[in-house]
Amino acid sequence: MGVLLLAGCGSDGGDDSAAPQVPVPDIPCAEGGQVRGSGSTAQQNAMSRWMQQYQLACPGVQLVYNPLGSGAGVAQFQRGASAFGGTDEALSAEDVEGTKEVCSGGQAIDLPMVGGPIAIGYNVPGVTGLVLDAPTLARVFDSRITRWNDPSIQRLNPGTQLPDLPVVPFHRTDDSGTTQNLNAYLKGAAPERWPYPAGKKWQAVGGESASGSDAVSSAVIQTDGAIGYFELSFAVKRKIDTVRIATGAAEPVAPSTTSASVGIAEARIAGTGKDLSLRFDYETSAEGAYPIVLVTYEIVCDTGNRPDSLPALKSFLTYTASEEGQEQLHSIHYAPLPASVAVQVREVVSTLS
């Protein structure tokens, strides 16, 4: 089990004159306290970076994040074991109902905080810059397109010599927010081709499987003709070719932190009151908008937070949603929130009680 822990530390009395000087972020700190969070593994690296930076400015606050997965994060929050939870899917009405006991006089709300593209990685020898659209991608992952030189793929890639090679689609065996978001995209952008629910379980026909993005990306590398889905960082780290998505824009869109931010900006706030859950426009044809995106939410009590952790919780989440906090995400392959959404998140955080 991985635990990210940043605890306040005092001086050891040694000579720090030779220590490298690290810029200290300008953060309005809480005087002290401990903030525990748990949940989504997709945001684990972002949390690690934010905690390191926050600790430089606010050593009196202790921060803990346990990347147990979205479901466990929600469950821990509901039983009062954490001040915030991380989830790759907004809370259901049933989930919210289950938080009213721990949020005395209130309930949990969703605050979008971390964005990112879900890359479609492939291994087709001799083929780079592959373009697919939503209906074709749906047929590929549903094992209805079985060879790479299929006319549907050739039509989207004129001038490319596609091999007569079997298509080997890989999906996740584990319940996954990444799977849920890909399912939601295919169902939203190609409903006539994708009859499956937008859930965390993979239900399409055929294909191969592996547990976790790490294993799926490894399998794609090792298998000629393979195609799979995973967070962009896995494709970058392993130098896996990624699909450009034909959306109806002038040019097909490649996955990047910038194009994902543009895609997220096409979403609208679907929550009510202080809840800021998003509804994505999977059929967007906006220029430069990558449509297969994932947003991780921090779930917190709108009111009824524990007094001993509330000041530190508000300070930390204000920093993560700040311009400085969001701008750091590019360098670790996450997509910053659109500025308009980040402003709303900071406004809501300021009202937590």
Side-chain angles (χ1 to χ4, degrees):
M1 180 187 302
V3 178
L4 301 175
L5 171 64
L6 293 168
C9 302
S11 170
D12 62 5
D15 180 7
D16 294 331
S17 61
Q21 297 301 305
V22 179
V24 177
D26 182 14
I27 300 173
C29 299
E31 292 183 3
Q34 183 185 80
V35 177
R36 290 185 173 273
S38 66
S40 166
T41 60
Q43 70 172 7
Q44 177 178 344
N45 292 335
M47 276 291 160
S48 179
R49 171 68 66 86
W50 282 331
M51 288 180 171
Q52 290 168 3
Q53 292 298 104
Y54 185 89
Q55 189 64 70
L56 290 174
C58 310
V61 174
Q62 187 181 65
L63 303 172
V64 180
Y65 186 72
N66 205 344
L68 299 172
S70 295
V74 173
Q76 286 213 341
F77 182 82
Q78 288 174 326
R79 63 173 178 265
S82 60
F84 72 95
T87 174
D88 302 336
E89 182 180 12
L91 296 172
S92 66
E94 183 180 358
D95 289 333
V96 172
E97 192 63 32
T99 67
K100 290 183 176 179
E101 185 173 342
V102 72
C103 297
S104 178
Q107 63 184 36
I109 55 174
D110 300 284
L111 299 177
M113 199 67 73
V114 183
I118 298 173
I120 307 298
Y122 67 96
N123 177 3
V124 181
V127 175
T128 59
L130 184 71
V131 176
L132 296 174
D133 60 13
T136 307
L137 194 61
R139 293 173 64 210
V140 164
F141 276 116
D142 204 20
S143 300
R144 285 179 283 166
I145 290 177
T146 60
R147 304 198 76 81
W148 280 106
N149 62 348
D150 185 278
S152 296
I153 301 177
Q154 189 68 71
R155 174 179 55 82
L156 292 163
N157 296 272
T160 299
Q161 187 67 40
L162 295 168
D164 184 14
L165 179 71
V167 175
V168 186
F170 278 89
H171 60 267
R172 294 270 291 266
T173 56
D174 53 318
D175 289 2
S176 157
T178 310
T179 295
Q180 188 273 329
N181 282 276
L182 177 62
N183 274 326
Y185 165 71
L186 293 174
K187 190 170 184 65
E192 73 287 352
R193 301 290 188 184
W194 197 253
Y196 308 107
K200 295 182 178 181
K201 293 181 182 295
W202 187 261
Q203 296 188 31
V205 174
E208 303 292 334
S209 61
S211 180
S213 290
D214 187 68
V216 170
S217 57
S218 293
V220 169
I221 291 174
Q222 296 164 10
T223 308
D224 283 354
I227 185 169
Y229 60 93
F230 28 80
E231 291 77 20
L232 178 62
S233 58
F234 291 93
V236 172
K237 179 180 179 181
R238 291 177 168 156
K239 297 181 171 58
I240 300 172
D241 287 325
T242 57
V243 171
R244 295 181 296 148
I245 304 297
T247 64
E251 295 291 336
V253 186
S256 71
T257 57
T258 300
S259 64
S261 288
V262 177
I264 294 168
E266 293 297 300
R268 65 178 181 84
I269 301 293
T272 58
K274 295 181 181 180
D275 186 90
L276 298 180
S277 56
L278 299 174
R279 181 168 297 157
F280 296 109
D281 180 4
Y282 294 115
E283 295 181 288
T284 180
S285 57
E287 296 299 327
Y290 187 76
I292 317 175
V293 292
L294 177 151
V295 166
T296 292
Y297 299 92
E298 314 313 332
I299 54 173
V300 296
C301 294
D302 57 1
T303 189
N305 290 280
R306 291 179 52 176
D308 58 345
S309 62
L310 178 61
L313 174 67
K314 293 173 69 172
S315 172
F316 177 61
L317 293 183
T318 298
Y319 168 64
T320 62
S322 70
E323 291 183 17
E324 181 177 354
Q326 289 289 309
E327 186 59 32
Q328 295 181 55
L329 296 178
H330 280 298
S331 65
I332 48 177
H333 310 298
Y334 291 101
L337 296 174
S340 60
V341 175
V343 167
Q344 292 181 76
V345 172
R346 295 195 295 271
E347 289 175 351
V348 171
V349 169
S350 72
T351 69
L352 300 180
S353 62

